[in-house]
Amino acid sequence: TNSIGRGDIDLGRKLMVNFFHSLARTETKPSAVMFGNEGVRLVCEGSAVLDDLMLLEEAGVMIRACGTCLSELGITEDVRIGGVGSMDEIPSF
């Protein structure tokens, strides 16, 4: 998703921004982040977390967005960071 938790959507989005801000600045980072469903919006034009995702990618974190999700939402052309991935890639993360 593009927010954290259920309930107030604005609060959930703020929490997601805070999460990626913190993650981009931690010493130990994940090897990859795969975005699915509405979460693919986070790698697209206008996302509030693009700068943090760029920091993660520069640190060697693989960023992938679900191609099916992007297509279904009609936003494939809006991707600004990372690559388009598929479910086949998830086991290799």
Side-chain angles (χ1 to χ4, degrees), residues 19-20 23-24 26-35 53-65 82-83 89-93:
F19 171 75
F20 278 107
L23 185 64
T26 61
E27 185 175 325
T28 304
K29 295 175 178 41
S31 60
V33 180
M34 178 77 177
F35 294 87
L53 293 178
M54 285 181 200
L55 288 174
L56 287 168
E57 190 172 60
E58 288 170 3
V61 177
M62 183 187 326
I63 307 292
R64 292 289 183 270
E89 285 185 88
I90 292 174
S92 65
F93 281 63

Side-chain angles (χ1 to χ4, degrees), residues 8-59:
D8 187 298
I9 192 69
D10 291 330
L11 175 58
R13 288 182 179 151
K14 184 175 186 172
L15 293 172
M16 186 64 79
V17 168
N18 291 345
F19 171 75
F20 278 107
H21 181 81
S22 296
L23 185 64
R25 288 153 183 82
T26 61
E27 185 175 325
T28 304
K29 295 175 178 41
S31 60
V33 180
M34 178 77 177
F35 294 87
N37 207 326
E38 287 285 326
V40 298
R41 294 185 187 280
L42 296 172
V43 301
C44 292
E45 182 73 32
S47 167
V49 299
L50 280 179
D51 289 342
D52 295 319
L53 293 178
M54 285 181 200
L55 288 174
L56 287 168
E57 190 172 60
E58 288 170 3

